[in-house]
Amino acid sequence: MSIILDRWGTIIYDSSKIEQFNNNMDKIEKEFLGNTQDIYAANKRIDNLILNVSGNDITEVVDARVNANGTIYPTLKAKLDAFERTMAAYLADVNTEIGKVNDTAKKLEDQLKALYGATEANLEIYVDASKGNDTSGTGASDAPYKTINKAVQQIPRALNGSAVYIYLVPGIYNEDVYILNKQISAIYIQGTNTTNTIPKDKQTGVFVRHLNFRDCSGYLSVRGLNQIGADQLPDKAGTIMFTRCGYASVGFCRFDDAKAKTNSVPAVIIDSGIGGAHNCYFLNQYAAQLDQYMAYSNFAYTNEGTGNTYSVISDASIVQINPPNKVAGSTLVRNGGMLS
């Protein structure tokens, strides 16, 4: 035992050993402090990896389960899955809207091509009062619209060199239709059965209440229609009316609603324009054709009819009647109008 003490004593009283010992203790203390810091950092990371470490702590991972609206998800994966589903639905909606924009752009491109003469194709629109649909229809012959008004909405304001054809399948179109401000070379509104219809012999089968053209240039043709609802016209306007238009042509139409006579509703009105009726049949009408406000028109000998109050009224206008006038009824001139 004394030998051991002598040995330790030699070490203890050796100054170089003491210095070395102190240096070693400094190293141990430094390493211990470093290990303590590493353990603290590891504990912080563990706190972030374990949900609800103490049952009350709000750790980073727990906070990551809360979205911007304050919704708390049971797991971070649940939140990420919900986000992916939301983004997928959003992207689907965006793709749908992009598709709509592309469709609109295509229609606009087609209209611009027509407007500036890049296409020579005419615009053809079909309407069927019985089988058509204004929502799902496209205006094609196999997917017609239901109303004339829907068809008219598809007409661009201007076309360069192309014409518009609106084909009406036999049926009842109890509508007030206004065609306004169209700068188009020609607009045709006609029944699909026009070639097989003789208005004098029978009704055409394409029943229309009111067509009203205003400020439209070009050739405007109405063909093969039959008058209906003459007592329902706004302001007792004519069944077919043209105001400040290009050339108006009403052909192969039948006007036979007696309510037009009792309500003083003209069959055809030409207001400040040119044109006229031809090959039409007028039965029990107030006036077959009324021209007013400096109109200049023709009333053809191919028109026929009976039981009318007036065949032609010229109100401050000039009407040429090609003899013989086969439409029974008086003629009336007023406000400086002329018949020739």
Side-chain angles (χ1 to χ4, degrees):
M1 188 70 174
S2 60
I3 297 172
I4 295 173
L5 289 174
D6 289 339
R7 288 178 179 176
W8 276 104
T10 303
I11 295 172
I12 291 173
Y13 293 105
D14 187 336
S15 60
S16 62
K17 298 297 182 182
I18 293 174
E19 183 178 1
Q20 182 179 0
F21 175 79
N22 290 335
N23 290 336
N24 289 338
M25 291 301 297
D26 290 339
K27 292 179 180 180
I28 293 173
E29 183 178 2
K30 185 176 181 180
E31 290 296 327
F32 179 79
L33 179 60
N35 290 336
T36 301
Q37 292 174 341
D38 289 342
I39 292 172
Y40 178 78
N43 287 337
K44 292 292 290 183
R45 294 187 66 188
I46 291 172
D47 286 346
N48 284 334
L49 292 173
I50 299 176
L51 303 179
N52 293 321
V53 173
S54 64
N56 296 313
D57 294 338
I58 302 177
T59 63
E60 184 177 354
V61 172
V62 174
D63 189 54
R65 295 188 287 110
V66 184
N67 68 12
N69 297 323
T71 302
I72 301 175
Y73 293 86
T75 64
L76 181 57
K77 182 180 184 302
K79 177 191 172 185
L80 294 175
D81 289 344
F83 176 76
E84 289 183 4
R85 287 193 297 270
T86 300
M87 287 302 299
Y90 172 76
L91 291 175
D93 290 341
V94 169
N95 289 333
T96 299
E97 293 302 318
I98 290 175
K100 293 179 180 179
V101 170
N102 289 337
D103 290 342
T104 301
K106 179 62 170 59
K107 292 179 181 178
L108 179 59
E109 180 183 7
D110 291 342
Q111 291 184 0
L112 288 174
K113 287 181 178 179
L115 177 60
Y116 291 103
T119 178
E120 296 180 356
N122 295 321
L123 176 60
E124 297 185 349
I125 306 172
Y126 287 82
V127 185
D128 189 332
S130 298
K131 299 179 181 179
N133 191 305
D134 283 352
T135 301
S136 61
T138 63
S141 58
D142 58 350
Y145 295 124
K146 184 177 182 63
T147 64
I148 305 173
N149 273 304
K150 180 65 176 181
V152 168
Q153 291 173 11
Q154 313 312 309
I155 302 176
R157 183 170 182 177
L159 282 176
N160 183 19
S162 300
V164 175
Y165 290 83
I166 297 179
Y167 295 106
L168 308 180
V169 174
I172 299 175
Y173 300 91
N174 198 18
E175 313 174 48
D176 296 317
V177 181
Y178 293 87
I179 304 97
L180 311 176
N181 302 305
K182 304 301 182 182
Q183 310 306 310
I184 299 174
S185 61
I187 298 176
Y188 299 86
I189 299 179
Q190 59 192 53
T192 56
N193 62 339
T194 300
T195 56
N196 301 320
T197 301
I198 302 177
K200 180 182 177 181
D201 295 344
K202 63 179 181 179
Q203 293 181 320
T204 70
V206 183
F207 296 93
V208 178
R209 185 171 77 201
H210 181 51
L211 292 181
N212 196 319
F213 294 83
R214 294 183 186 174
D215 300 304
C216 296
S217 64
Y219 181 77
L220 308 173
S221 173
V222 178
R223 187 181 177 96
L225 308 189
N226 207 113
Q227 183 184 50
I228 189 176
D231 59 330
Q232 302 174 31
L233 272 63
D235 301 322
K236 294 185 177 181
T239 297
I240 303 176
M241 185 171 183
F242 305 86
T243 301
R244 298 180 301 275
C245 291
Y247 190 91
S249 174
V250 180
F252 296 92
C253 293
R254 181 182 174 99
F255 301 88
D256 59 1
D257 187 349
K259 293 186 291 294
K261 187 174 184 178
T262 56
N263 287 275
S264 301
V265 173
V268 178
I269 295 180
I270 300 178
D271 183 345
S272 303
I274 59 175
H278 63 91
N279 298 98
C280 293
Y281 188 72
F282 302 92
L283 176 64
N284 298 324
Q285 296 294 296
Y286 167 68
Q289 181 173 306
L290 163 63
D291 283 36
Q292 59 187 12
Y293 303 116
M294 298 302 294
Y296 184 89
S297 72
N298 177 275
F299 192 73
Y301 70 91
T302 55
N303 294 313
E304 298 184 57
T306 184
N308 308 293
T309 302
Y310 299 103
S311 59
V312 175
I313 298 176
S314 177
D315 186 351
S317 300
I318 299 175
V319 182
Q320 292 181 328
I321 300 178
N322 297 125
N325 185 359
K326 300 178 184 178
V327 177
S330 302
T331 59
L332 175 63
V333 175
R334 62 193 182 198
N335 298 320
M338 295 178 58
L339 295 176
S340 62

